Amino acid sequence: ATDMPNKSIIDEWLQEETSISFENIKRNINPPGAIRGFVAASPSRDHPNYFYSWTRDAGLVMRVVASTRYNDETKRLLQDYVAQEIYHQAAPTVCNCLGEPKFNPDGSGYDGAWGRPQNDGPAIRATTFILLASRFTPDYVERTLKPAIFRDLDYISDVWSEPCFDLWEEVCGVHFYTLMVMRRALTDGAAFALAQGDFSRQALYVTTADKIAERLASFWNGAYYAATQDLCEPGSSFKPSGLDMATILAVIHTGWPKKVLATAHKIEAVFEQLYPLNAERPSGVGISIGRYPEDTYDGYQSGSLGNPWFITTAAMAELYYRAIHEWKSEQTTVAVNSINAPFFAKLMGMSEDALIDRTFPFGSKSFTTLVQRMADEADRFMATVRYHQRDNGSLSEQFNRFNGFEQGARDLSWSYAAMISSADARAGHLI
Ligand code: NOJ
Ligand code: NOJ
């Protein structure tokens, strides 16, 4: 087919782009004028001002650095990051809790009006710290990491069922994404507590993770996972569909649960129609994906028109790469059912009727074809990023829904981290 992404072009570009991404992430850590360990969301200080350290962004970015970019240089940066976060944990904040979303370059909590608390932050931080515990000396773990990890996890065990602001900092309620990263943190935390001989914490974290898992199941609405329940202001929803890339990010940030292809399909279909640039894609370029269809934040202000984001477009690719990895490593026989049929119908270019109840047995010829189609589709999402990036490889937050030009905060650390983790997943390294 003419719209096949060119695999060797993607291979070559990814090699270059991941190293540019890594260099640009490093430039955002410890910038002049900030406390040690400051991880700027972006170097942009106005229009928009993103020169803050968000607990969420910093945790996700440093997890990528810690997992596949660990060396003597980054070891130092990671310890700086840890020092910053421990400082934040103790800093007085407006929220007066561990869910304060963002911090100033001098380490103090941001004290303007903001959506707070955002309780995904401490969960993401704990997961990153637990990964670091496997890298650093027992002494450093005992004195520095352990108290910080338990602090976050004890907090999460306490507040998990309370409403808070979502990862997009807009909606107050109980969120699929937030619960997913909390569950992951507690599961990792239970193993960590056991290794530390803290059996009562281990038990607490296991019990809480189980309760969260039960609650998560209720987000399935029969057709897809919806983003939010229990709005703080009932009736205030401006997102009637509940379709949100936050659910896909939740899966790639936690590796659980696995069955989100039907949700991914619905989200893709919505964005394909919504953004004019999707109608004029050059050959080999995939659909551009935003945060959620009703988004009005244009990178500078809300009440405007939302756009596709690099984070979410790369995340869609990563979801596909992860599905391939899982099918292969678990020797899965992929089964089509009434829920996932639309996804497979589009992928295989077949009718849903022809596919329903069909299987792709692991190792069969049809399985190989399926995996090939998945890999091509994933590469198309990567090609989308390639097509809209700047010539020098820099990535901002968004790209314009009409003309594809970058907009919003420039050199967004999280955009770079999302590219790297997607490329890693393509190569079979899952974080
Ligand atoms: C800034 C937040 O970071 C962004 O997620 C949000 O969409 C806008 N403010 C508008 O509320
Ligand atoms: C806005 C995004 O919605 C939010 O998730 C992120 O933490 C901040 N920008 C900073 O990058």
Side-chain angles (χ1 to χ4, degrees):
T2 52
D3 72 334
M4 293 292 263
N6 186 321
K7 192 172 174 303
S8 65
I9 291 182
I10 300 283
D11 283 341
E12 221 173 279
W13 166 67
L14 277 178
Q15 212 157 9
E16 203 186 330
E17 182 59 22
T18 49
S19 87
I20 292 170
S21 294
F22 184 43
E23 289 310 310
N24 287 345
I25 285 175
K26 283 189 282 186
R27 211 163 290 145
N28 288 349
I29 306 172
N30 288 333
I35 62 161
R36 184 164 75 101
F38 183 75
V39 183
S42 151
S44 175
R45 288 163 182 266
D46 56 60
H47 193 64
N49 185 358
Y50 271 42
F51 201 64
Y52 299 99
S53 192
W54 268 265
T55 308
R56 162 178 43 256
D57 297 46
L60 292 171
V61 168
M62 295 316 261
R63 177 148 26 128
V64 167
V65 172
S67 60
T68 52
R69 302 291 186 285
Y70 185 74
N71 57 36
D72 285 342
E73 183 195 10
T74 57
K75 180 179 175 186
R76 200 175 38 78
L77 297 179
L78 287 159
Q79 290 188 342
D80 289 347
Y81 158 70
V82 168
Q84 174 198 241
E85 294 300 319
I86 289 174
Y87 187 85
H88 290 170
Q89 281 185 327
T93 58
V94 175
C95 146
N96 192 24
C97 75
L98 292 170
E100 186 65 34
K102 66 173 189 178
F103 291 82
N104 297 310
D106 69 1
S108 61
Y110 177 76
D111 65 2
W114 209 251
R116 52 169 76 84
Q118 295 177 17
N119 289 334
D120 59 322
I124 292 166
R125 176 167 60 203
T127 297
T128 300
F129 275 27
I130 292 167
L131 172 62
L132 289 175
S134 67
R135 299 264 189 225
F136 293 155
T137 63
D139 186 53
Y140 182 82
V141 173
E142 177 67 27
R143 285 200 232 186
T144 306
L145 290 174
K146 185 167 100 175
I149 291 168
F150 285 162
R151 201 166 180 173
D152 280 336
L153 295 180
D154 291 354
Y155 170 75
I156 292 165
S157 303
D158 224 33
V159 304
W160 71 269
S161 63
E162 290 170 20
C164 68
F165 277 81
D166 70 323
L167 84 164
W168 307 133
E169 316 190 289
E170 299 167 329
V171 177
C172 180
V174 175
H175 313 284
F176 184 83
Y177 179 86
T178 305
L179 290 178
M180 285 280 279
V181 293
M182 286 175 165
R183 183 196 158 276
R184 162 79 192 262
L186 290 166
T187 308
D188 291 355
F192 177 76
L194 176 64
Q196 299 296 318
D198 191 330
F199 304 114
S200 64
R201 278 202 169 84
Q202 184 215 3
L204 171 68
Y205 298 164
V206 169
T207 316
T208 313
D210 287 346
K211 285 186 203 152
I212 295 178
E214 214 172 289
R215 179 71 192 260
L216 278 164
S218 74
F219 282 73
W220 178 256
N221 68 10
Y224 55 86
Y225 284 101
T228 298
Q229 301 178 345
D230 289 4
L231 291 172
C232 299
E233 295 169 47
S236 66
S237 177
F238 62 99
K239 299 187 195 181
S241 69
L243 283 172
D244 193 321
M245 273 302 282
T247 55
I248 305 301
L249 288 169
V251 169
I252 68 173
H253 292 167
T254 66
W256 186 92
K258 308 166 173 188
K259 306 211 171 4
V260 289
L261 294 180
T263 308
H265 175 74
K266 291 243 162 26
I267 295 174
E268 279 175 45
V270 153
F271 283 124
E272 183 165 19
Q273 294 302 315
L274 184 66
Y275 296 143
L277 88 174
N278 282 327
E280 300 155 30
R281 315 203 288 280
S283 121
V285 169
I287 300 167
S288 296
I289 305 284
R291 299 194 293 183
Y292 55 88
E294 301 87 351
D295 199 356
T296 70
Y297 176 60
D298 64 8
Y300 312 104
Q301 60 186 46
S302 50
S304 171
L305 280 178
N307 293 300
W309 284 40
F310 289 112
I311 295 166
T312 46
T313 304
M316 203 55 112
E318 183 168 344
L319 180 74
Y320 282 63
Y321 294 133
R322 281 178 172 263
I324 294 172
H325 182 85
E326 188 183 295
W327 293 342
K328 284 189 177 165
S329 61
E330 293 176 13
Q331 312 206 342
T332 305
T333 284
V334 179
V336 182
N337 55 42
S338 59
I339 290 165
N340 63 25
F343 174 86
F344 289 108
K346 176 155 189 257
L347 188 73
M348 303 303 287
M350 293 168 74
S351 76
E352 286 180 41
D353 285 350
L355 274 168
I356 223 134
D357 294 335
R358 219 185 117 158
T359 60
F360 297 85
F362 176 75
S364 67
K365 218 172 143 224
S366 68
F367 179 88
T368 309
T369 309
L370 177 68
V371 163
Q372 192 52 52
R373 296 269 175 128
M374 288 285 284
D376 287 346
E377 190 60 21
D379 280 0
R380 264 183 217 111
F381 287 115
M382 293 303 239
T384 310
V385 173
R386 174 169 178 265
Y387 190 69
H388 295 294
Q389 65 168 7
R390 292 243 161 84
D391 287 345
N392 66 1
S394 73
L395 300 174
S396 60
E397 180 184 75
Q398 324 190 352
F399 46 104
N400 187 274
R401 62 156 78 187
F402 298 102
N403 60 30
F405 282 109
E406 290 199 355
Q407 70 183 65
R410 72 182 169 91
D411 292 302
L412 191 79
S413 301
W414 188 2
S415 292
Y416 292 126
M419 267 309 299
I420 294 176
S421 74
S422 232
D424 284 352
R426 186 177 189 265
H429 305 298
L430 302 190
I431 298 178

